[in-house]
Amino acid sequence: MKNIHYGKCFILFLLLFGMVKNGDASNDITVAEGYIKASIPGSDITAAYMTISNTANKAITLQKITSTISDRIEIHEHSMTDGMMRMREVGEITIDANSEVVLQPSGLHLMIFSLKQQVTEKDVIPLTLYFSNETKINIQLPVYRY
Ligand SMILES: [Cu+2]
């Protein structure tokens, strides 16, 4: 009877361990609520949004993004200049210690240029995010309609 109990505990331990391992490469960084906007027919650009959380006690910086659908992904920010909504490239995004940064329409976003394929609903798009703590995180983003 006791042995069965321990066996269950061991399986639970394996499951939990597996979940934590999935959260790699950096357990300090998690990405949630990510999605990509479906590309407009005839256009070869789109944007990706997500929430990046940093549970480390130091700031971590997102430095580079790669994907199979594009060789050029930039970090952009929308801002109001002279009453006009403008976009500009920002080299990186710093996520402060124990905080999160939200990438969203009209704010920070990942700009995806020169799409190699039309991005449509039901697609799942892989992105790799490279961080300053020498880790990279692979994510799979759903596509929502523009
Ligand atoms: Cu942009």
Side-chain angles (χ1 to χ4, degrees):
M1 205 52 188
K2 250 189 173 169
N3 277 337
I4 292 167
H5 179 70
Y6 284 132
K8 273 185 188 161
C9 273
F10 185 63
I11 288 167
L12 184 64
F13 171 77
L14 283 180
L15 283 174
L16 287 172
F17 186 70
M19 281 162 67
V20 170
K21 273 211 82 174
N22 254 335
D24 255 320
S26 163
N27 291 328
D28 295 330
I29 293 284
T30 51
V31 178
E33 287 154 23
Y35 69 96
I36 290 185
K37 232 170 30 169
S39 55
I40 298 164
S43 165
D44 68 346
I45 62 170
T46 190
Y49 310 99
M50 65 198 68
T51 299
I52 306 173
S53 303
N54 175 13
T55 56
N57 289 320
K58 61 177 174 61
I60 294 175
T61 302
L62 170 64
Q63 298 176 317
K64 190 176 83 168
I65 305 99
T66 60
S67 175
T68 52
I69 59 161
S70 168
D71 292 330
R72 186 180 161 211
I73 303 179
E74 295 178 355
I75 301 167
H76 278 202
E77 185 175 48
H78 274 113
S79 60
M80 284 297 251
T81 312
D82 300 330
M84 295 265 292
M85 193 61 124
R86 295 224 164 122
M87 245 186 351
R88 67 185 180 98
E89 185 182 2
V90 293
E92 50 189 35
I93 296 174
T94 298
I95 306 106
D96 290 334
N98 297 301
S99 59
E100 62 179 35
V101 170
V102 180
L103 284 68
Q104 60 193 336
S106 306
L108 279 169
H109 56 280
L110 303 185
M111 201 81 201
I112 304 172
F113 293 95
S114 307
L115 283 170
K116 296 174 182 175
Q117 62 182 73
Q118 187 86 26
V119 175
T120 55
E121 274 180 293
K122 293 177 191 154
D123 284 347
V124 177
I125 307 297
L127 290 187
T128 303
L129 310 184
Y130 294 79
F131 292 90
S132 58
N133 58 345
E134 289 181 348
T135 58
K136 58 178 183 179
I137 294 183
N138 295 308
I139 54 174
Q140 307 274 337
L141 298 187
V143 177
Y144 296 155
R145 210 177 328 164
Y146 49 87

